[in-house]
Amino acid sequence: MPANEMPAAAGGDAQPDPVALFVSDVHLQPALPRTTQAFLDFLRKHACRAQRLYLLGDLFEYWAGDDDIEDPYNLAVVAALREVSDAGVQLYWIPGNRDFLVGEAFAGAAGLQLLSEPHVLQLAGRKLVLVHGDAQCTDDTGYMAFRAQVRQPGWQAAFLAKSLAERKAIIAGMRSGSREAQREKSYAIMDVNQEAIEDLFAASGAEAMIHGHTHRPAVHRHPAPQGERERHVLPDWDCDATPARGGWLALQYDGTFRHVPVETAAS
């Protein structure tokens, strides 16, 4: 079992602008106004200073289809993302388990590029692999079967053919069922499977992995013959809770990582 540690909080000293920021599991929704404002502040104050911004899934609590862009709340988020893109930042999107129906219309409006997962890249002298994280939770066989179903193009086409109101009603039922199912599942079964993680490291050849989904922020060290590899787990956001939680990962030009808590960023 790999050793793990909690990510260190960023200090108060001024930091150089990062080459890339990584964020996931913000779960944006009108019911969480402080979380929404914190994310918009993050885009305006921090994302605009990076070369790249990677959104690694579950930015929204749910996404019923790109025909919901005109909803005033969604429109405000899309406009804020577009401002970052228009400032010259490259925006990239990996779908999560709640917003996998984001499509090309959303991408065009927000000025971002949709990525498939796993996404492997070379950046700041580091070889990275990016995923949302749910595909590595292979011990949760019930969820994996559901994921396989809803990621099929045929299922998605049939679902998107329904009215927006009907889709939202179906999603509300799914979310309720998911909450009930989670109460019956162990803490371990909803975490990533270590064999799945090792397989992804081996297949990608990456030295660092970044993902969210589990809401268990940490830095995990994975020993290997070719050298230690690191796995950064991003936090979920809830600034309407006490204490507030959330944050992002910054990759500096020298190849080092910084975990930045949302409360530090807002101070």
Side-chain angles (χ1 to χ4, degrees), residues 47-254:
C48 283
R49 297 169 52 194
Q51 184 184 98
R52 302 183 183 191
L53 171 62
Y54 288 88
L55 303 166
L56 301 188
D58 286 2
L59 178 66
F60 294 96
E61 174 66 5
Y62 71 89
W63 189 256
D66 285 1
D67 53 344
D68 203 21
I69 288 178
E70 295 303 319
D71 174 270
Y73 180 87
N74 294 337
L75 200 60
V77 175
V78 169
L81 291 171
R82 186 76 204 199
E83 286 186 14
V84 177
S85 176
D86 288 346
V89 181
Q90 301 170 51
L91 271 63
Y92 300 95
W93 175 284
I94 283 180
N97 54 295
R98 293 175 178 267
D99 51 18
F100 58 86
L101 290 175
V102 159
E104 292 293 346
F106 178 94
L112 55 82
Q113 180 180 343
L114 303 178
L115 302 176
S116 58
E117 60 172 340
H119 180 70
V120 181
L121 70 156
Q122 194 85 26
L123 195 60
R126 308 289 299 271
K127 189 173 186 180
L128 313 176
V129 60
L130 311 179
V131 292
H132 175 60
D134 60 326
Q136 286 67 48
C137 294
T138 55
D139 291 331
D140 190 348
T141 55
Y143 170 72
M144 294 303 291
F146 169 78
R147 185 184 192 277
Q149 178 189 40
V150 300
R151 295 303 180 98
Q152 292 176 2
W155 185 94
Q156 294 187 9
F159 184 76
L160 291 172
K162 301 178 187 296
S163 70
L164 180 59
E166 187 177 1
R167 277 178 267 147
K168 288 186 173 183
I170 293 171
I171 289 171
M174 287 180 172
R175 290 167 61 201
S176 177
S178 175
R179 287 191 291 268
E180 290 296 324
Q182 286 179 6
R183 294 190 182 99
E184 304 297 323
K185 295 177 181 178
S186 69
Y187 184 84
I189 203 172
M190 292 189 292
D191 202 355
V192 295
N193 174 279
Q194 292 303 313
E195 184 176 350
I197 293 297
E198 293 300 332
D199 287 347
L200 182 54
F201 269 125
S204 64
E207 60 187 278
M209 183 185 304
I210 304 171
H211 72 82
H213 180 65
T214 63
H215 300 187
R216 303 173 189 182
V219 181
H220 299 263
R221 309 293 177 180
H222 296 257
Q226 65 271 34
E228 186 177 70
R229 300 161 303 179
E230 55 190 286
R231 177 166 60 93
H232 297 264
V233 185
L234 302 172
D236 69 311
W237 289 49
D238 188 349
C239 299
D240 293 80
T242 303
R245 64 180 185 270
W248 59 90
L249 179 68
L251 175 62
Q252 305 300 129
Y253 281 88
D254 63 1

